[in-house]
Amino acid sequence: MAEAAEVRRRIYVWEFPVRLSHWVNVMAITVLSVTGLYIGTPFLYPVSDQSFTMGWMRFLHLTAGYAFLMMIALRVYWSFAGNKYSNWRVFVPRSKSQVQDLKEVTNYYLFKRSTPPYDEGHTACAAFAYFLLFLIFLFQIVSGFALFNNDSHTAVHFILGGWLANLMNIKTIRFWHHMLMYPIWAFVIVHIYLSLLMDSSGKNGLLGSIFGGYKFMAGRG
Amino acid sequence: MGEGKDLRDSSPTVYQALRQRGVSRRDFMKFCSLMAATLALPASFAPKIAEALEKAKRPSLVWLEFQDCCGNTESFLRASNPTVVDIVLDVLSVDYHETIMAPAGKDAEKSLQDVVKNQKGKYICVVEGAIPTRDGGVYCCVGGRAAIDIAKEVCGNSLATIAMGACAWDGGIPSANPNPTGAVGVKDVISGVPIINLPGCPANVVNLTGTVVHYLTFGSLPLTDNNGAPLFGYGTRIHDACQRRAHYDAGRYVRQWGDEGHRNGWCLYYMGCKGPETYKNCPTAQWNDRTSWPVGAGHNCIGCASPKFWDTMTPFYSRLAAIPGFGVESTADKVGLGLAIATAAGVTAHAIARAGRKHIRHEDEEKTAKTEGK
């Protein structure tokens, strides 16, 4: 038994587009959060009469927003074109085994179960969290372009989000665009913690997999 | 306006009426240039406007006041140059205006009825104030009649109706939450006649005059935006024409009333300016004969030309809307940060709990692993 546990299978789980979108999003969300906070409440004081602080902040915010949009689009495409671990079916727990997995993972997090669940790709719990996060991302993109369209009034920005201004007034859009940043921060905190936890308890190279794509699963199945 | 009425009866053109009132040719041409500029037309249009006004008969105009504060009337009469007041009053030939007309009581109401009866489909109706609809419209009555009935009759028979100010446009302040009187704008109760909306609290008189001059010059009402507001007056964002815009891009903000930035004329964005959301020609047309305008005078824009501004643009002195139930500015960030901190605390607690459990259940774990068949 002990020997079998030491035999690891090397599985290519996260393909390049998945890893690319992950890391570009990490950078984009960081930039978007910092610049977004400044745009909401300009916390920096001017240091010279040559400064262009808000101009640069908005430039960075909009550029990072475009990068973010591209990565979300790539990831949506890859959920149809990619391998089974990145497929869209993973993200909503529908099948029996997914529901069972969701229970096991939750039990593990609640200390009701001492061994981590065995998942090659996302756990059902993680996948569902990513689905909810995806919905927040979608709203952030649409509301972001709704606010942008208020400046620019272009057809592209209207299609990407300007139409939202016909459903909600611009202040409400701004409010939720701002507020939904905080659940994303909360997600990031939990995400990093659980990645460390599952890496150390699962001993499957989970943390490294988002860099190289490979997981090293114990020899089951 | 007894005098104005006499002039209309003898049917002089706009220009003749002005000359009779002692307005010089020079002032008349200045007025035509101002109108060309207001309508965003090239200067070469000023003579064309002059030509049109020389020939045009003055349209009769009635001014209805409903749930209002008279602010648009004040704005209408506030031109600092008396000549401009004369021109405006004469171009418009105001036949009925509760606040400034000479007759009172039945006589006043009769002059309104005369216009509606004799000039059906030929007069311009300006409405100031919201129209209450709840309980049969009893919350605003003039001469014993509900505002909604008067509006339907007078606006319904007009050539065009101009909703002057935020209240007449979309209900404005009377319709602000919780809207006890069921107040609505003119567009919500009147159909079948062209309606030009002039949002703003108050609307600027140059946009009213501009709309009428546009009609006299081109024979048509000006092009309008989604809100039914003329594009010449409401097509540009305040933020984009703002004299303090460079300070915005540079990151130079007023952070407290009367601070150094305020005295230096820096951007009012930090203080809650709604210029970035508001479309109106305040920065260029300005107020009181181009004396100044709110942002020019050091106060942030409150977005009074935006839909439902009393509900959607408040708090006026904060960029971010307040969370309902908290009632304090900047609570949004406190709640959000609270969520992030609570999450971090939860994660830490989980990690500590796990470490504790692991220590206690170390022996159990080995057993479980065996029974699960690893």
Side-chain angles (χ1 to χ4, degrees), chain B residues 305-330:
Chain B
S306 300
K308 298 278 176 203
F309 83 99
W310 202 263
D311 292 330
T312 62
M313 290 293 143
T314 45
F316 291 142
Y317 300 105
S318 163
R319 282 291 301 163
L320 210 59
I323 294 184
F326 286 83
V328 187
E329 284 171 24
S330 88

Side-chain angles (χ1 to χ4, degrees), chain B residues 166-185:
Chain B
C167 299
W169 166 41
D170 71 350
I173 294 170
S175 78
N177 187 40
N179 193 3
T181 62
V184 296

Side-chain angles (χ1 to χ4, degrees), chain A residues 39-194:
Chain A
I39 294 165
T41 312
F43 49 79
L44 296 177
Y45 284 70
V47 289
S48 81
D49 54 6
Q50 304 290 311
S51 64
F52 190 58
T53 319
M54 181 58 92
W56 280 114
M57 288 291 181
R58 294 188 70 241
F59 172 77
L60 287 173
H61 194 80
L62 301 175
T63 310
Y66 273 117
F68 186 61
L69 168 70
M70 297 305 157
M71 287 303 121
I72 296 301
L74 172 68
R75 189 62 187 82
V76 169
Y77 167 70
W78 207 248
S79 71
F80 294 94
N83 64 15
K84 64 176 174 178
Y85 306 111
S86 55
N87 193 277
W88 62 272
R89 288 188 185 84
V90 167
F91 292 94
V92 186
R94 284 147 49 250
S95 73
K96 249 184 194 165
S97 63
Q98 279 174 316
V99 174
Q100 178 63 24
D101 191 27
L102 189 64
K103 272 185 202 161
E104 284 178 18
V105 180
T106 314
N107 282 341
Y108 177 67
Y109 290 155
L110 296 176
F111 309 117
K112 288 182 182 168
R113 179 195 149 101
S114 55
T115 50
Y118 182 93
D119 282 290
E120 289 172 357
H122 299 301
T123 68
C125 186
F128 188 58
Y130 301 151
F131 175 68
L132 296 181
L133 185 70
F134 172 72
L135 294 182
I136 294 181
F137 283 175
L138 270 190
F139 181 83
Q140 293 298 65
I141 289 168
V142 170
S143 59
F145 278 101
L147 295 170
F148 193 4
N149 192 49
N150 184 53
D151 292 11
S152 60
H153 295 284
T154 62
V156 174
H157 295 159
F158 182 84
I159 291 163
L160 288 172
W163 49 267
L164 190 65
N166 296 333
L167 308 175
M168 299 162 84
N169 75 66
I170 209 84
K171 285 289 285 180
T172 313
I173 295 172
R174 170 167 294 110
F175 177 78
W176 286 111
H177 188 72
H178 184 103
M179 283 308 283
L180 285 175
M181 171 184 66
Y182 293 109
I184 295 175
W185 287 9
F187 167 83
V188 168
I189 293 166
V190 174
H191 180 66
I192 293 173
Y193 170 68
L194 290 181

Side-chain angles (χ1 to χ4, degrees), chain B residues 84-141:
Chain B
V84 174
V85 176
D86 287 344
I87 292 173
V88 168
L89 289 177
D90 274 330
V91 167
L92 298 179
S93 176
V94 180
D95 287 348
Y96 176 88
H97 190 309
E98 283 142 12
T99 305
I100 58 172
M101 69 199 305
K106 286 206 166 63
D107 293 339
E109 294 310 307
K110 187 175 177 298
S111 61
L112 177 62
Q113 287 304 321
D114 285 348
V115 173
V116 174
K117 209 188 299 166
N118 301 335
Q119 301 192 59
K120 193 174 174 179
K122 288 180 197 158
Y123 63 91
I124 292 169
C125 177
V126 175
V127 179
E128 176 182 5
I131 299 168
T133 56
R134 194 162 294 169
D135 302 330
V138 296
Y139 300 109
C140 179
C141 294

